[in-house]
Amino acid sequence: MEYIRKQNNICLYQPDFDLDETIDCGQAFRWEKVPTEYKCTYTGFFLDRPLTISYDGECFIFHDTGEEDFLSVWTDYFDLDTDYGEIKKRLSADETLKKACEFAGGIRLLRQDSWECLCSFIISQNNNIPRIKGIISRLCEHYGHFPTAVEMAGETPESLGFLRAGFRAKYLVDAAQKTAEGVLELKKIPYMPIDEARKSLMTIKGVGPKVAECVLLFGMYRTEAFPVDVWIKRVMENYYPQGLPKVTKGIEGIAQQYLFHYIRNLEK
DNA sequence: TTCCAGGCGTATC
DNA sequence: GATACGCATGGA
């Protein structure tokens, strides 16, 4: 990893990284694109840690970030120790995946907080991205930060009415109660065999196969998780009627990210 | 106005 | 175990 300190900032030289493709692609919902003098800038959070990050055409600028925070928090969050060039090379043995990797080669998997991710994807069901972001933003504004499961466990669907989350409010309450009571151990699920992990998550009301898969992939870094929505279903029907190629073994979820963006762009 | 959004729970067969 | 339907909300 190549970076330098520049005043209060960290400047990172990083291939295989694009802010729009990584941050603004439906895996995270607490980042906002802001207009600045840079080519591209986002502000957002990991847990309660704020960050403004820019790309100036040459390097990624982590604003007001010390070396310690950069190495202990953001390197992990942006998965900077993983060689995505190597991953793309491997996936590119397959023709369709090769095109997908070329189309959006700057995608990285964010290592998000599991509880925030669980809430986010419960909210995501039958919903669109601007509204998902709106609901999460009202939730954080209400508490002054992203609430813990314990904080939310005392809520009811009615008391969460200010979220305007609709029928999803009761699912959030159930997730909070089960997590706060310890019936569901979010810290242990990442280490479970994948089917056991899926089953545990799906004990929460409002968590079905799709949401469970997203939480495993985006909130627990289980790269073999493979969320299937209408778009990925289309990819499977059109390109992989026999199933995914062997090159995706163990990193199905990363392949999914490349394919998702590729097919959505093709259809547009 | 009507449709739809990175689904899920429930009823019904 | 497969399939149909309703669900809250707000933007297009």
Side-chain angles (χ1 to χ4, degrees), chain A residues 154-198:
Chain A
E155 301 287 358
T156 63
E158 292 72 31
S159 72
L160 289 179
F162 69 93
L163 289 179
R164 283 171 280 151
F167 61 87
R168 306 166 193 86
K170 56 182 180 291
Y171 300 154
L172 289 174
V173 172
D174 189 58
Q177 289 175 348
K178 285 198 169 81
T179 305
E181 286 165 12
V183 182
L184 189 78
E185 297 186 274
L186 278 187
K187 291 279 170 278
K188 290 190 180 169
I189 294 177
Y191 306 103
M192 290 179 181
I194 191 87
D195 282 324
E196 197 183 325
R198 286 188 178 109

Side-chain angles (χ1 to χ4, degrees), chain A residues 228-239:
Chain A
V228 176
D229 60 21
V230 286
W231 296 96
I232 292 298
K233 200 174 277 177
R234 218 167 293 172
V235 171
M236 296 308 288
E237 284 163 3
N238 292 343
Y239 298 100

Side-chain angles (χ1 to χ4, degrees), chain A residues 4-247:
Chain A
I4 54 169
R5 279 162 50 185
K6 219 176 194 178
Q7 290 137 12
N8 293 329
N9 305 333
I10 296 286
C11 298
L12 168 74
Y13 298 85
Q14 178 69 50
D16 311 308
F17 187 22
D18 181 280
L19 291 178
D20 290 322
E21 289 169 7
T22 297
I23 288 175
D24 210 12
C25 65
Q27 61 171 322
F29 304 97
R30 274 212 293 163
W31 293 89
E32 291 300 329
K33 194 165 190 166
V34 290
T36 59
E37 72 266 31
Y38 297 102
K39 280 188 97 167
C40 177
T41 299
Y42 283 88
T43 67
F45 295 87
F46 168 67
L47 292 173
D48 294 332
R49 282 170 187 273
L51 176 70
T52 300
I53 182 170
S54 301
Y55 182 61
D56 67 2
E58 192 181 1
C59 69
F60 296 90
I61 300 159
F62 293 69
H63 297 271
D64 298 316
T65 303
E67 201 165 356
E68 195 180 328
D69 270 5
F70 174 68
L71 291 174
S72 66
V73 179
W74 301 114
T75 296
D76 188 61
Y77 182 78
F78 288 105
D79 201 19
L80 297 177
D81 289 329
T82 299
D83 186 344
Y84 280 76
E86 199 56 43
I87 290 173
K88 287 188 284 184
K89 197 154 69 174
R90 176 179 149 193
L91 292 177
S92 293
D94 176 82
E95 257 326 292
T96 305
L97 272 163
K98 182 165 188 250
K99 287 183 196 155
C101 289
E102 281 165 3
F103 170 70
I107 291 175
R108 307 180 79 83
L109 222 46
L110 296 173
R111 295 182 184 244
Q112 300 182 72
D113 175 65
S114 55
W115 165 246
E116 178 179 328
C117 195
L118 172 60
C119 293
S120 300
F121 282 93
I122 284 174
I123 293 167
S124 80
Q125 66 172 273
N126 196 226
N127 215 341
N128 55 51
I129 289 178
R131 238 175 68 75
I132 298 165
K133 288 171 100 169
I135 292 167
I136 293 172
S137 139
R138 287 190 285 279
L139 183 65
C140 294
E141 204 174 314
H142 181 79
Y143 286 94
H145 53 264
F146 197 96
T148 63
V150 172
E151 285 177 301
M152 277 179 70
E155 301 287 358
T156 63
E158 292 72 31
S159 72
L160 289 179
F162 69 93
L163 289 179
R164 283 171 280 151
F167 61 87
R168 306 166 193 86
K170 56 182 180 291
Y171 300 154
L172 289 174
V173 172
D174 189 58
Q177 289 175 348
K178 285 198 169 81
T179 305
E181 286 165 12
V183 182
L184 189 78
E185 297 186 274
L186 278 187
K187 291 279 170 278
K188 290 190 180 169
I189 294 177
Y191 306 103
M192 290 179 181
I194 191 87
D195 282 324
E196 197 183 325
R198 286 188 178 109
K199 241 195 250 172
S200 305
L201 286 169
M202 285 169 61
T203 59
I204 301 167
K205 279 207 178 293
V207 177
K210 168 63 168 47
V211 171
E213 221 63 8
C214 285
V215 175
L216 283 164
L217 182 60
F218 301 127
M220 299 179 171
Y221 203 72
R222 291 295 291 258
T223 56
E224 76 271 46
F226 189 71
V228 176
D229 60 21
V230 286
W231 296 96
I232 292 298
K233 200 174 277 177
R234 218 167 293 172
V235 171
M236 296 308 288
E237 284 163 3
N238 292 343
Y239 298 100
Y240 305 112
Q242 317 292 334
L244 282 173
K246 284 212 176 71
V247 289

